[in-house]
Amino acid sequence: MKVYNEVVSPMGQDHFQERGFNNEEKHRLANGALSDASGRRRGDGRRQTQLAGGAGHVGIMGHDRIMISLVTAHYTNRGIRTNGALSVNVVEESWLEKADAAGCASGAKVDKSGWFDYTVGETGAPLLDAARVTMECVLEDTYETSGFDNFIITIKNTFADESVLDERGRVDYRVLKPVLFEMPTYEYLRTGDVIGRCMKMNKKA
């Protein structure tokens, strides 16, 4: 496991600044608590595991910022506002079923504290051990629209497992194969096949 700043860039540029955490060091950061995407603690001192699931939308806002849009009624929104830190964990098919179940259960009603193993990052945000790419983020601003809280967040660290990096140290999406959620039909789609190169397809061979 290696840690980078701005591993995932919307323009595909190299912004890697290796921080030097290996897998053993990453696990030593854990403090035994269990947490949701925002690190929200329950009244009994435990942390509640909460995934945004199908109700969450992610948008790129720059090389180091993204927006997470969640239905206002979500329990995890309170944790994001209170703690100001969260993680974005890239879901793969190997743990999709578990992620889907977590996204369908409200943290206000179900104790999901034991559903996922995780490591606590330097911001206090939980980093799911199952995810081979995780972005550790802090809250910058909130923009409210009808029925939704739109959280503007800055990426502080990106954790990428070596198994999903190419020879240049960049995330190889033919290996990672993130799951895509398609809203109108509520279906999950596989990714991973390259069908062309941006700004190259109109050029003759």
Side-chain angles (χ1 to χ4, degrees):
M1 182 71 68
K2 295 184 178 180
V3 183
Y4 300 88
N5 286 336
E6 301 181 50
V7 170
V8 183
S9 166
M11 298 300 292
Q13 299 176 17
D14 298 327
H15 289 285
F16 307 144
Q17 299 174 16
E18 188 171 340
R19 297 288 299 279
F21 284 82
N22 58 36
N23 207 30
E24 181 180 352
E25 291 168 333
K26 177 174 180 284
H27 282 274
R28 283 206 298 266
L29 292 172
N31 65 2
L34 292 166
S35 122
D36 64 5
S38 61
R40 181 176 176 82
R41 286 191 178 274
R42 294 166 56 91
D44 55 12
R46 292 178 294 173
R47 296 188 181 224
Q48 177 70 18
T49 301
Q50 170 70 25
L51 268 69
H57 310 270
V58 180
I60 296 171
M61 302 190 68
H63 287 170
D64 64 343
R65 287 175 175 81
I66 57 179
M67 182 184 73
I68 303 294
S69 181
L70 299 173
V71 173
T72 303
H74 272 243
Y75 178 73
T76 197
N77 295 22
R78 285 176 274 171
I80 295 173
R81 291 178 183 275
T82 299
N83 298 289
L86 66 154
S87 64
V88 177
N89 303 271
V90 179
V91 179
E92 295 181 82
E93 190 173 352
S94 61
W95 57 286
L96 172 61
E97 185 175 344
K98 199 171 183 179
D100 179 71
C104 293
S106 171
K109 299 178 181 179
V110 180
D111 179 7
K112 298 179 284 182
S113 60
W115 287 24
F116 293 92
D117 293 329
Y118 79 99
T119 297
V120 177
E122 62 184 47
T123 65
L127 315 173
L128 299 189
D129 292 350
R132 293 196 287 177
V133 171
T134 298
M135 290 172 280
E136 183 180 10
C137 307
V138 294
L139 179 64
E140 296 291 346
D141 201 358
T142 304
Y143 181 71
E144 297 180 2
T145 56
S146 179
F148 284 85
D149 289 331
N150 304 285
F151 299 107
I152 312 302
I153 58 180
T154 296
I155 302 170
K156 290 297 184 182
N157 295 304
T158 299
F159 294 77
D161 194 273
E162 290 182 349
S163 64
V164 299
L165 300 180
D166 63 18
E167 63 278 0
R168 292 179 290 179
R170 300 190 299 186
V171 175
D172 187 343
Y173 290 97
R174 290 166 293 191
V175 177
L176 180 64
K177 298 182 180 180
V179 170
L180 293 182
F181 173 67
E182 201 270 320
M183 177 64 78
T185 62
Y186 267 54
E187 294 177 320
Y188 295 108
L189 306 177
R190 289 190 182 95
T191 63
D193 294 331
V194 176
I195 59 175
R197 290 182 60 83
C198 179
M199 296 186 288
K200 300 288 185 181
M201 297 180 70
N202 62 337
K203 295 183 179 180
K204 295 181 179 180

